[in-house]
Amino acid sequence: MRFAGKVAVVTGAASGIGKETAKLFASEGAKVYAADMDLTGVEALAGEVPGMVPVAVDVCDVAQIKALLDKAGGENGGFDILFNNAAAGGARGGIDECDEAGWDWTMNLVLRSVAMGIHYAVPHMQHRKGAAIVNTSSVAAVGPGYSPTAYAVAKAGVLHLTKCAAMDLAKFGIRVNAVQPGFINTNIFAASLDVDQADKATVNAMIAQMSSHAQPVPRGGQPRDIAEAVAFLSSDAASFMTGASMIVDGGITVGPRHCWDPEAPGLFDTIQKFLEAKEAGGSGQ
Ligand SMILES: NC(=O)c1ccc[n+]([C@@H]2O[C@H](COP(=O)([O-])OP(=O)(O)OC[C@H]3O[C@@H](n4cnc5c(N)ncnc54)[C@H](O)[C@@H]3O)[C@@H](O)[C@H]2O)c1
C-alpha cells in the first residue's frame, strides 16, 4: 500500500499504460483522478475500480488541463502524484512529410501538454511530502528510427523538460522524473490509423505478434511493465531521484538486432566470409 492516503492524477487513463498505472495506484491505496479524452473509457474504469474519479480532458486544450488539476487539487486540498502520460503518435512520416499544422499539433499533444500539466500542478503539489511528477517520454527520444519525426522530437523535449522542471521545482519539494517505454502492446499504433474497428483489431494482433521479437527480452512489452516503473518513481522508495529517466524497453535500445539475435546477419559477417574464402584458397570475391 505505497500510496495509501495519496491523491494521484493520471492522464491517458482510458487505455494502455495510463489505465494500468491508474489501476496500480488505486490498488495500493491512492484516490486516482483518471483523465482522458475518452470519457466513456475512464467511466468504465471507475465502474470497475474503487477509488477512481473519471474526468474528461483533452490535453491539447490547456484550459482543460488546468480545470482537471484545479478539480483534483480543489477537492482534496492538493494532490501528491501527477502522471503526464496522454499522447498519440502525432503527425506521420519524416520532416519532409510533416507540415506546420502537423508539427504544431504534435508538439501541443506530446510536449506542451506535459509542460502545462507541470505548470498548473505546482500550486496544488508544492510542499506536499513526497510530491512526485512522472512524464511519459519514449525510446524515440534516444535517437531516430523508432517513430515519426515530430513525435520523436517532442518526446526528446519531454526528457529535457523533465530535467529543467526537476531543477525548477526542487525549491517546492517536488520531484520530476520520466519513463521511456520501448515497444509496448497498446492501442497507440492502431489509434493513429484512420481505419475501422475490425482493422484496428487486426493491427493490434500484428503488433502483439511483432513485439515479442522486437528486443532481447523474448516477450512483448506490456503496460504493466511501465506502470511498475512509474509507481516506483512516484513512491518514497525513489525519494533520492529527480531529473532522471528510466528506460523500460526489454533492451530494444541496446544495439542492432545482430547484437542479440544469433539468427540475424552481423555487421562483419560479409568481411568474415571474405576472409574465410581467401584462406580456403579462393579469390575472396
Ligand atoms: N505503446 C508504446 O509502445 C509506447 C512507447 C513509448 C511511449 N509511449 C507513450 O506512452 C503514453 C501512453 O500511450 P499508450 O501506448 O498507452 O497508448 P494508448 O493509445 O493505449 O493510450 C493513450 C490514451 O491517451 C488518450 N489520449 C490521446 N490523446 C489525448 C488527448 N488529446 N487528450 C486526452 N487524452 C488523450 C487516449 O484516448 C488513450 O486512452 C503516450 O505518451 C505514448 O506516447 C507508448
Side-chain angles (χ1 to χ4, degrees):
M1 296 301 276
R2 288 174 287 182
F3 307 111
K6 300 216 173 199
V7 178
V9 179
V10 176
T11 67
S15 175
I17 293 166
K19 182 177 182 180
E20 204 56 35
T21 307
K23 284 162 73 174
L24 185 54
F25 282 149
S27 73
E28 295 205 37
K31 177 179 181 183
V32 181
Y33 284 73
D36 203 290
M37 67 193 301
D38 173 7
L39 180 60
T40 314
V42 278
E43 281 176 343
L45 180 63
E48 284 167 33
V49 184
M52 203 81 81
V53 182
V55 186
V57 70
D58 178 350
V59 297
C60 289
D61 181 346
V62 176
Q64 291 189 35
I65 297 174
K66 183 175 185 305
L68 162 69
L69 301 173
D70 286 350
K71 176 180 167 64
E75 289 176 0
N76 301 283
F79 54 84
D80 307 284
I81 294 164
L82 171 62
F83 183 31
N84 281 309
N85 167 72
R92 277 190 241 160
I95 195 62
D96 52 322
E97 296 159 271
C98 178
D99 63 13
E100 63 268 43
W103 184 265
D104 288 351
W105 167 53
T106 310
M107 292 299 143
N108 289 344
L109 171 63
V110 178
L111 180 55
R112 187 182 71 179
S113 60
V114 177
M116 293 301 101
I118 297 171
H119 175 77
Y120 286 110
V122 171
H124 303 295
M125 297 184 80
Q126 57 186 341
H127 304 306
R128 278 176 86 93
K129 197 172 167 300
I133 296 174
V134 180
N135 305 316
T136 305
S137 176
S138 169
V139 292
V142 170
Y146 294 101
S147 75
T149 290
Y151 177 93
V153 172
K155 289 295 192 186
V158 169
L159 269 195
H160 201 64
L161 169 64
T162 299
K163 291 182 194 168
C164 294
M167 184 191 70
D168 296 338
L169 306 191
K171 60 182 176 283
F172 301 122
I174 303 172
R175 294 185 299 107
V176 188
N177 292 293
V179 67
Q180 288 175 263
F183 191 176
I184 308 299
N185 276 280
T186 72
N187 282 317
I188 197 165
F189 308 98
S192 67
L193 303 174
D194 192 17
V195 294
D196 63 23
Q197 276 311 114
D199 284 341
K200 283 187 175 168
T202 310
V203 170
N204 278 339
M206 286 165 61
I207 294 294
Q209 217 262 332
M210 274 163 57
S211 69
S212 56
H213 307 292
Q215 61 283 305
V217 175
R219 68 169 174 83
Q222 300 302 327
R224 179 76 185 207
D225 294 314
I226 309 305
E228 293 286 357
V230 177
F232 168 72
L233 290 170
S234 306
S235 76
D236 291 342
S239 62
F240 200 53
M241 290 180 73
T242 193
S245 177
M246 283 177 75
I247 294 183
V248 185
D249 70 343
I252 204 166
T253 49
V254 294
R257 186 171 184 124
H258 72 269
C259 294
W260 49 269
D261 181 353
E263 302 297 317
L267 218 54
F268 298 109
D269 278 6
T270 319
I271 298 172
Q272 187 63 31
K273 277 198 189 112
F274 168 80
L275 294 173
E276 282 168 9
K278 232 181 147 185
E279 251 178 49
S283 71
Q285 296 299 311

